[in-house]
Amino acid sequence: MTDQLGFSLTQLQYFVVSAELGNISEAAERLCTSQSTVSSAVRRLERHLGVQLLLRHHARGVSLTPSGRHLLHEAHLLLRQARSLKAQSDSLASDITGPLDVGFFYPIAPFLRPLVCRLIEKRHGVLQLNVHEESAEEIMNFLRAGRCEMIVTYDFLAEESVFHPLVELPVHALVAEDAPGVDDGRVSLGELVAQPLVTLDSPPLLRHFEKLCVDAGVAMPPVIRTTTQETMRGLVAAGFGFALMYQRASPVTTFDGRRVRAVDIVDDLAPSFLGVGIMPGSAMSGRAKAFLSVLRSVISAGYDVTPQPGPDDTPASLWKRWAVDQ
């Protein structure tokens, strides 16, 4: 037994219309095709099903055989189900009602998720946004497994996905407030690697930083790994090393009262991109497009870059509305 049906919905439709009109020529006219196309399609359907469906009467059209009369009802049901399936798929593709699962690389989430969630609530109250804050590896696993429709991450962490860049971000260094040699807010990577690199415990992220060192022609420094950004900031503030980051946090005071500051790196390092990744071959649903539109509105505000907003969506107005709404 084979799973291949051997016939198409188009053939069924040609059979149904021909049977209802009792004439192949009139069926072809209604279906906007040729008489020979309809006639050939019905004959192929009969061969695939192994039964004769229509009796052909010279100059008098066609009529149903007993088998054709029996199968006509089933063909109607199948075509109705196919139309219902198409309508549901169209609704899923364009509708913004219902759940949307999005993965965030967890260091990015604090900068974007609060405002994104608030604007989703205000603009698309029928959209149920389910956010998964995970490691770079885990959100890629979620994407591959279909648990997330899209992920918000950096380009160098989304190589298996179709990546849509939203903003270009230069890398900068995070150092202790009293770190020597950076009074002008600029430092070379060669100067930084004299001390350990404090970084999140993410192998893909660490490989990326290793590549930055190679590109700058400097040796990779010793590495201190941690699982949270706040611990990373605390270690930097306490003088245990430096960190490399793509986002600039507004608070400079750590939990223990010390302070950090962001400084520019003078080396000619290639920037990275923040954006969204989807699985190859997949199309964005209406819910995903609505989320992406909101994300575009707020991403400039979160990353201090030149915005390209809509008429009432400047970063200042967005953050002002966010503060007022609280």
Side-chain angles (χ1 to χ4, degrees):
M1 182 177 179
T2 177
D3 290 334
Q4 294 184 348
L5 296 176
F7 62 89
S8 68
L9 291 174
T10 299
Q11 291 170 349
L12 280 180
Q13 184 183 27
Y14 285 5
F15 157 62
V16 167
V17 175
S18 298
E20 290 178 339
L21 295 178
N23 189 288
I24 296 288
S25 178
E26 292 181 16
E29 185 176 348
R30 175 174 293 185
L31 293 165
C32 299
T33 188
S34 67
Q35 180 176 341
S36 61
T37 298
V38 176
S39 180
S40 296
V42 174
R43 289 189 183 279
R44 287 197 300 273
L45 178 63
E46 291 174 322
R47 285 198 301 271
H48 290 313
L49 295 178
V51 294
Q52 185 176 357
L53 302 173
L54 297 177
L55 292 172
R56 281 80 174 169
H57 308 289
H58 181 65
R60 290 189 296 112
V62 296
S63 62
L64 286 164
T65 66
S67 295
R69 191 173 303 280
H70 177 76
L71 292 178
L72 180 62
H73 176 68
E74 299 300 325
H76 269 298
L77 289 177
L78 188 55
L79 288 172
R80 189 155 49 243
Q81 290 173 344
R83 285 191 288 268
S84 175
L85 179 64
K86 179 64 168 63
Q88 290 183 48
S89 67
D90 289 344
S91 176
L92 287 172
S94 59
D95 193 13
I96 60 172
T97 302
L100 173 68
D101 286 82
V102 176
F104 269 79
F105 180 39
Y106 72 91
I108 296 173
F111 295 87
L112 296 178
R113 181 178 176 182
L115 186 52
V116 166
C117 288
R118 177 51 58 92
L119 290 186
I120 286 286
E121 184 180 87
K122 290 171 71 78
R123 297 181 184 179
H124 310 291
V126 293
L127 174 58
Q128 177 190 335
L129 181 62
N130 302 320
V131 174
H132 306 269
E133 296 182 25
E134 302 287 347
S135 67
E137 304 96 318
E138 195 62 22
I139 60 171
M140 274 305 309
N141 289 337
F142 278 22
L143 191 64
R144 283 191 293 265
R147 294 181 61 184
C148 288
E149 186 170 336
M150 65 169 46
I151 58 176
V152 182
T153 186
Y154 299 116
D155 55 344
F156 56 85
L157 299 176
E159 294 178 350
E160 296 180 50
S161 71
V162 176
F163 187 77
H164 298 267
L166 298 178
V167 62
E168 181 181 293
L169 297 172
V171 65
H172 67 272
L174 195 69
V175 299
E177 184 182 41
D178 57 355
V182 289
D183 294 336
D184 62 350
R186 292 164 56 84
V187 66
S188 71
L189 197 56
E191 294 172 291
L192 288 170
V193 297
Q195 55 185 322
L197 169 66
V198 185
T199 182
L200 296 171
D201 192 9
S202 169
L205 189 62
L206 188 56
R207 288 195 294 270
H208 175 68
F209 290 154
E210 289 173 345
K211 183 178 183 302
L212 290 183
C213 289
V214 170
D215 292 344
V218 300
M220 183 69 180
V223 174
I224 300 175
R225 294 175 174 83
T226 181
T227 57
T228 70
Q229 290 192 93
E230 194 53 46
T231 302
M232 180 182 73
R233 284 160 42 86
L235 289 169
V236 169
F240 285 96
F242 72 99
L244 295 174
M245 300 184 68
Y246 285 98
Q247 63 273 3
R248 293 177 183 262
S250 297
V252 296
T253 304
T254 60
F255 281 177
D256 61 359
R258 293 185 173 90
R259 295 171 66 86
V260 294
R261 61 172 171 149
V263 295
D264 295 329
I265 297 176
V266 298
D267 302 81
D268 186 19
L269 300 176
S272 292
F273 291 87
L274 173 67
V276 299
I278 62 173
M279 281 304 293
S282 64
M284 289 187 191
S285 67
R287 295 179 297 281
K289 291 176 181 177
F291 169 83
L292 185 58
S293 175
V294 168
L295 184 61
R296 287 183 187 277
S297 296
V298 304
I299 204 169
S300 295
Y303 285 83
D304 192 28
V305 296
T306 303
Q308 295 181 339
D312 195 32
D313 281 337
T314 64
S317 66
L318 287 169
W319 286 111
K320 183 178 180 180
R321 270 184 273 162
W322 163 250
V324 170
D325 290 340
Q326 297 308 295

